[in-house]
Amino acid sequence: MKRAREKDNGVYHAALRGLQIELVKLQRHLIRHHQKILVLVEGRDGAGKDGAIKAITEHMSPRETRIVALGKPSDRERSEWYFQRYVSHLPAGGEFVLFNRSWYNRAGVERVMVFCNKQECEDFLVAVPIFEDLLVRSGIQLFKYYLDIDRDEQKARLQARRNDPLKQWKISPIDQAALKHWKDYSRARDVMLARTSVTYAPWTIVRANDKPTARLNLIRDLLSRLDYGGKAKPRQIAPDRAIVFPFDRDALRDGRLSA
């Protein structure tokens, strides 16, 4: 019933406004206490990563909030330690940073499209828990979200993107290959989640077939996991666990993730 109500545009915007007020409270707290928050937003092509990030950051301070969306690495960057180009974008004290795709490109698009070899991918899967352990030990509060949609929904969204003159900038050859390599992406996702969801840096899955519901529940989940002054009552920011839930290996078999 709650999800049905939230599909109404007015109800959605009212709910979003309330959550965005909570995000402003959170930001004031983290600035005051010099805390560092890092949110990684990963997912299928067309899963709604841009929209989710916009909903989170729309009313946050542009000075202390950064969205990182790195492009194709340069020749020099390809010769560096893999994580090197990401390090300079990590949050300092008082900053809230979101990565719209992150170092997990290596376990996803780079693996599927053979932009890296098998050994490079394996080395990444071994190294990333160590890297993230260092981040958490340094005081960064790390949150990793994977937005998942089914194949029919992805097909519809990518087609709508091609037909919308305002979204032409989103079209890329990688998007064109997404449906063709659907199964390959599923297998890569499953390996990535299984091997890199650890106690200090777990993955959280967002079922994103319905964009408004996904955005609201992602924000609720994030808020519910953080402490800040003036925080709303738990029931006001409790996420729907049918929509957003901590990853566990059973999700690879029980239908909660798209096959």
Side-chain angles (χ1 to χ4, degrees):
M1 179 66 71
K2 183 178 181 180
R3 275 179 277 167
R5 290 198 305 268
E6 287 177 350
K7 291 181 181 180
D8 176 84
N9 196 48
V11 174
Y12 164 72
H13 284 291
L16 179 60
R17 176 176 170 79
L19 294 173
Q20 288 173 332
I21 291 172
E22 292 298 305
L23 286 167
V24 171
K25 294 180 192 176
L26 168 64
Q27 185 162 54
R28 292 178 63 186
H29 180 90
L30 74 92
I31 292 170
R32 185 179 304 117
H33 295 279
H34 221 55
Q35 295 177 347
K36 297 174 282 188
I37 294 179
L38 177 60
V39 180
L40 309 186
V41 183
E42 297 284 343
R44 298 274 194 180
D45 290 311
K49 296 180 288 295
D50 293 337
I53 290 171
K54 181 180 178 181
I56 294 169
T57 61
E58 186 175 9
H59 296 289
M60 298 182 78
S61 166
R63 179 175 296 177
E64 287 85 12
T65 306
R66 288 188 288 114
I67 300 169
V68 181
L70 300 184
K72 180 180 177 181
S74 66
D75 289 341
R76 184 182 188 282
E77 288 172 331
R78 279 195 290 269
S79 72
E80 296 173 346
W81 175 50
Y82 178 72
F83 296 99
Q84 188 167 334
R85 74 185 189 124
Y86 296 99
V87 170
S88 64
H89 299 283
L90 295 174
E95 289 187 340
F96 187 106
V97 175
L98 301 99
F99 276 72
N100 186 346
R101 295 195 182 276
S102 64
W103 42 84
Y104 282 101
N105 275 343
R106 174 132 297 179
V109 64
E110 290 188 25
R111 174 177 181 160
V112 172
M113 302 306 293
V114 199
F115 296 154
C116 67
N117 60 44
K118 290 182 179 180
Q119 188 59 53
E120 287 172 326
C121 185
E122 176 61 24
D123 290 344
F124 169 81
L125 292 170
V126 171
V128 72
I130 301 170
F131 175 67
E132 291 176 353
D133 183 40
L134 292 173
L135 300 185
V136 173
R137 286 175 181 271
S138 77
I140 291 174
Q141 298 180 74
L142 175 62
F143 301 89
K144 304 190 302 190
Y145 290 97
Y146 186 92
L147 277 59
D148 197 52
I149 54 176
D150 63 36
R151 194 174 189 278
D152 288 343
E153 184 66 21
Q154 183 184 67
K155 183 177 180 180
R157 291 186 187 181
L158 294 180
Q159 183 60 49
R161 182 180 293 178
R162 287 191 289 270
N163 294 337
D164 188 341
L166 297 178
K167 295 183 179 180
Q168 295 298 298
W169 60 273
K170 287 190 172 186
I171 299 173
S172 73
I174 300 300
D175 290 339
Q176 303 299 319
L179 288 168
K180 177 182 177 182
H181 293 281
W182 175 268
K183 288 291 186 181
D184 296 324
Y185 274 108
S186 295
R187 285 189 287 267
R189 174 206 62 196
D190 293 353
V191 171
M192 179 190 79
L193 294 174
R195 293 189 58 180
T196 66
S197 190
V198 290
T199 54
Y200 52 84
W203 279 103
T204 300
I205 307 302
V206 182
R207 301 181 72 175
N209 271 8
D210 181 80
K211 287 183 180 181
T213 301
R215 292 171 189 167
L216 294 176
N217 281 282
L218 191 162
I219 298 172
R220 287 174 183 139
D221 180 81
L222 181 63
L223 291 169
S224 69
R225 294 161 67 183
L226 288 161
D227 293 322
Y228 56 93
K231 186 173 181 177
K233 294 179 180 179
R235 62 180 176 79
Q236 295 176 309
I237 53 173
D240 182 344
R241 289 304 179 197
I243 300 298
V244 57
F245 55 90
F247 169 76
D248 62 72
R249 288 175 180 263
D250 288 341
L252 303 177
R253 300 179 291 272
D254 62 16
R256 284 180 290 164
L257 284 166
S258 58

